[in-house]
Amino acid sequence: MSVEEQAPSVSWQEETVPGGDTSVAWLTLSNPRRHNALTLEMYDQLHRACEEIDAACDVRVTVLRGAGGRAFAAGTDIREFRGFTGRDGVEYERRVGSAVERLAALRMPVVAAVEGPAVGGGLALTVSCDIVVCTPDSVFGAPIARTLGNCLSPTVIARLHASLGRARTQHALLTAQLISAQEAHEAGLVAQITDAEGLDAHLAGLTARIAGCAPLTLAALKEADRRVISASAPGTADDLYELCYGSRDFREGVSAFLDKRPPEWEGR
């Protein structure tokens, strides 16, 4: 069975660092036929995978990447949104938020290896990682104001402000534009841009270097960073989720996306 024919999934495997007794967890998002867009089951699988990785004592660093080399993750699979109500939107954001926050809470550093688009939910996952490396063709963003008419969580926006700066974040979100790899690197979201041919070698060197550092120090640095981000995130946004996901505009956005036509916004 080819990669494209496999069922959407999130899986991980442990690989020993050469010359040492520590390991790297390779965490893969796989839905290649839909540019690795995540289903709700994939978000649940991600949460479970993070629990398993945290329990694997030898793992010193995790790498998150998309299968197939053409996309990191193109958001959530839009078919999941058929028939959504406002309350469904609230539950969806809680379910997705639980997976994203579990990724961010991994005790060891997490590297996002981005190839191609990291948009919507893929962007939320990217900014929840500690180090981002990408290929030159990568793009980042959440063009939901143009495509679906839903919203982002305050925590994701806080992480975007910390990674890109408020001006770039607001410009990208309010104009529904994507950010290039070069702009993301200049802003500070991306640590390194690497050609696709050299990505695996770069990841091998990076993970080996991280795996050789003091694990408790790395865990403390991660937790300190998490607390800084949490201090700027104003908690729940259930009212905003219900407003957007329960709207006629959101239903129109989903229908238009699936019909491959421009949406007609009404503001209600």
Side-chain angles (χ1 to χ4, degrees):
M1 181 183 294
S2 68
V3 172
E4 284 75 13
E5 294 172 330
Q6 295 174 6
S9 66
V10 176
S11 60
W12 73 281
Q13 61 182 11
E14 189 173 345
E15 183 177 293
T16 302
V17 176
D21 55 2
T22 58
S23 300
V24 178
W26 296 90
L27 182 57
T28 304
L29 312 171
S30 183
N31 190 3
R33 285 182 294 181
R34 298 190 178 278
H35 303 290
N36 297 324
L38 285 92
T39 64
L40 290 176
E41 176 59 26
M42 287 174 69
Y43 283 113
D44 293 343
Q45 290 174 357
L46 175 62
H47 193 288
R48 291 194 294 271
C50 290
E51 293 281 345
E52 294 169 2
I53 291 169
D54 251 348
C57 299
D58 293 338
V59 173
R60 292 290 184 266
V61 56
T62 294
V63 178
L64 177 65
R65 67 191 313 179
R70 292 182 294 180
F72 179 74
T76 297
D77 191 330
I78 306 305
R79 296 173 300 174
E80 301 282 290
F81 292 135
R82 290 189 179 116
F84 251 43
T85 66
R87 292 310 303 171
D88 290 331
V90 171
E91 290 306 313
Y92 161 77
E93 288 289 346
R94 288 176 179 171
R95 189 171 174 181
V96 172
S98 176
V100 171
E101 291 310 304
R102 188 62 188 85
L103 175 68
L106 279 170
R107 59 178 169 76
M108 76 291 293
V110 181
V111 178
V114 178
E115 299 173 84
V119 299
L123 178 67
L125 294 176
T126 299
V127 297
S128 298
C129 296
D130 302 296
I131 298 174
V132 180
V133 298
C134 75
T135 52
D137 63 333
S138 299
V139 290
F140 304 85
I144 53 178
R146 172 172 52 82
T147 56
L148 288 181
N150 57 333
C151 57
L152 292 179
S153 76
T155 300
V156 170
I157 291 177
R159 289 189 175 121
L160 285 169
H161 284 182
S163 300
L164 289 171
R166 182 178 181 275
R168 274 191 174 94
T169 296
Q170 294 302 92
H171 183 269
L173 295 179
L174 299 181
T175 62
Q177 291 183 334
L178 299 179
I179 295 172
S180 69
Q182 187 60 43
E183 185 178 358
H185 182 251
E186 292 170 355
L189 169 61
V190 170
Q192 183 76 39
I193 301 175
T194 304
D195 288 340
E197 295 78 10
L199 180 59
D200 286 345
H202 179 77
L203 290 172
L206 178 61
T207 54
R209 185 175 183 86
I210 294 172
C213 292
L216 293 181
T217 297
L218 298 183
L221 291 171
K222 273 189 56 109
E223 175 60 17
D225 180 71
R226 190 197 66 79
R227 292 182 187 183
V228 170
I229 298 298
S230 297
S232 61
T236 183
D238 288 0
D239 56 331
L240 304 181
Y241 302 148
E242 192 149 9
L243 172 70
C244 291
Y245 286 99
S247 68
R248 289 176 58 175
D249 273 357
F250 180 68
R251 292 192 292 274
E252 164 64 9
V254 172
S255 295
F257 189 97
L258 295 173
D259 293 342
K260 296 181 170 54
R261 60 175 174 81
E264 298 180 8
W265 307 122
E266 297 181 29
R268 53 182 175 152

